Amino acid sequence: MKLIGFIAWRFSRGAKQQRFASFVSWFSTLGITLGVASLITVISVMNGFENQLKQRILNLVPHLTFSEQQLLPSSLSGFEQSPLVLSEVVLQSPNNLHAAMMQGIDVKLQVDAELLRKKMLIGDLDSLTSGSYNVVIGIGVANALGVRLGDTIRLLATERLVYTPIGEMPSQRNFVVSGIFEFAAEVDKQFILVNIDDSARLLRTSLKDISQQRIFLDDPFQIETIAEQLEQQAFEFQDWRSFYGELFAAVKMEKNMMGMLFCLIIAVAAFNILSSLVMMVGEKRADVAILQTLGLSRDKVVMVFVMQGAWSGCIGAAVGALSGWWLSNNINMVMSGLGLNFAANLGGSGLPVLQRSDQIVFITVAAMLLSIVATIYPAWQASKIHPAEALRYE
């Protein structure tokens, strides 16, 4: 094996008249390095964006809900749950109208109450007591309505109509703004919080008839597997995908497309390894023939050229993995050095980054394997060289 490694190393250096093939080989190594580094960096940033959206949006949106009339499936018994009333409403202030989704909650039983308290800009979440008719709204809703803490707004339940002397009208009641939260996402414009008993009174319905069981999943992205199981068991449910499924599907598709584009860069670099080895085999025909006359078997000839190509690919993949790991960790510093200040455009936090070791390992190993596969054809061609024919005119 040492002999094969030495021969592969000598072939890779090349003589002065064979420098072009060596240049192509090193250029392909650089291509794999750049491809792997770019792919790891882009995937890490896309993971960061996806995780940021998940934290900002799916912490407030119900992950999974069932009606109280249904028995909770045994497969979900290990997850935390809270009572919930969910209904579409229209908010009216002296300045404007705004549509939102009302969540009726019991703060004492709310699993994520502590998280909601951390997101409060002003006011108190615990003000949502039964009979108080207080409402906690997002900063987006507050700006749209032009209201602030202590102002009164009217909630109109579009799903519940009542008969009046002038005809059917939405059930409505005045609520006092007792708090404003901010998740720095679309949910600030789309969700409001009220006490669960007050929401039932607004909807003029018994709480047990409209209350739902809200399930808090450990990872909201588990919903695809869970939903498939529930559908097979004929359960009726609603999950977060009905609110933001298209958004996260678009983010996932964009991440996959970016990954595919940078995979093509790695593939092109691997084909450069193939082309450089093909040129190398043509230039080294006489050398291979001499080695065969000295007793080097065809299998070992194959191993020489496989090792030569794999050497370039593995070095490129390893250096690319380290470069991608460093660049993704320091992407904001690098961007600032280039005069691209993303922090100012992203609320001062810069580009979000989430590295996953399994993705880094997979990308690195895949690049190495692709480089090795690219060596098989030229190595096989080298093993078919006949010493007598190759040395006839030498």
Side-chain angles (χ1 to χ4, degrees), residues 27 67 69-70 76 90 101 122 128 143 161 167 172 181 188 197 208 218 222 265 269 295 320 322 335-336 345 354 384:
F27 191 79
S67 66
Q69 286 74 25
Q70 293 187 98
L76 298 178
V90 174
M101 185 67 66
I122 190 172
L128 300 180
N143 292 334
L161 300 178
Q172 52 190 285
F181 62 79
D188 293 336
D197 295 322
K208 66 179 181 180
D218 297 330
Q222 293 175 300
I265 296 176
L322 292 174
M335 291 295 104
S336 297
N345 299 326
L354 177 61
K384 293 174 63 178

Side-chain angles (χ1 to χ4, degrees), residues 213-248:
Q213 301 175 75
R214 177 178 179 178
I215 310 299
F216 291 83
L217 303 179
D218 297 330
D219 182 1
F221 290 166
Q222 293 175 300
I223 192 61
E224 293 185 4
T225 304
I226 294 175
E228 184 178 350
Q229 297 174 354
L230 295 176
E231 288 171 354
Q232 293 175 353
Q233 300 174 27
F235 279 100
E236 294 184 4
F237 63 93
Q238 186 181 30
D239 60 68
W240 61 264
R241 293 177 299 178
S242 61
F243 298 101
Y244 292 102
E246 294 181 356
L247 171 63
F248 283 92

Side-chain angles (χ1 to χ4, degrees), residues 93-129:
S93 72
N95 304 316
N96 206 350
L97 291 172
H98 186 80
M101 185 67 66
M102 177 183 68
Q103 289 189 24
I105 65 173
D106 187 336
V107 177
K108 295 180 180 179
L109 301 178
Q110 190 71 10
V111 173
D112 62 343
E114 192 59 36
L115 172 65
L116 294 175
R117 291 189 181 97
K118 292 179 180 179
K119 297 296 182 180
M120 296 292 293
L121 289 178
I122 190 172
D124 186 6
L125 183 69
D126 294 313
S127 63
L128 300 180
T129 56

Side-chain angles (χ1 to χ4, degrees), residues 9 28 31 45 49 51-52 68 115 146 159 169 181 187 258:
W9 176 72
S28 61
V45 173
F49 273 118
N51 184 64
Q52 189 178 77
E68 286 286 357
L115 172 65
E159 297 178 359
M169 295 286 290
F181 62 79
V187 292
M258 293 294 291

Side-chain angles (χ1 to χ4, degrees), residues 7 16 46 81 137 144 191 198 214 217 220 248 256 265 313 318 327 331 339 371 378 394:
I7 295 173
K16 291 183 179 180
M46 293 300 294
Q81 55 183 295
I137 61 178
F191 286 88
D198 293 347
R214 177 178 179 178
L217 303 179
F248 283 92
N256 292 338
I265 296 176
L327 182 59
I331 184 68
S371 302
E394 294 293 329

Side-chain angles (χ1 to χ4, degrees), residues 317-369:
V319 174
L322 292 174
S323 301
W325 174 82
W326 180 87
L327 182 59
S328 56
N329 275 326
N330 300 276
I331 184 68
N332 291 302
M333 180 185 68
V334 173
M335 291 295 104
S336 297
L338 296 175
L340 302 173
N341 190 7
F342 286 108
N345 299 326
L346 295 170
S349 59
L351 290 173
V353 175
L354 177 61
Q355 291 181 335
R356 289 178 50 184
S357 57
D358 57 330
Q359 289 180 337
I360 295 177
V361 171
F362 175 79
I363 292 170
T364 306
V365 172
M368 291 180 177
L369 291 177

Side-chain angles (χ1 to χ4, degrees), residues 11 19 36 53 95 162 178 194 205 214 258 290 387:
F11 278 6
R19 290 299 185 190
V36 170
L53 284 175
N95 304 316
V162 295
S178 63
V194 302
T205 308
R214 177 178 179 178
M258 293 294 291
I290 292 173

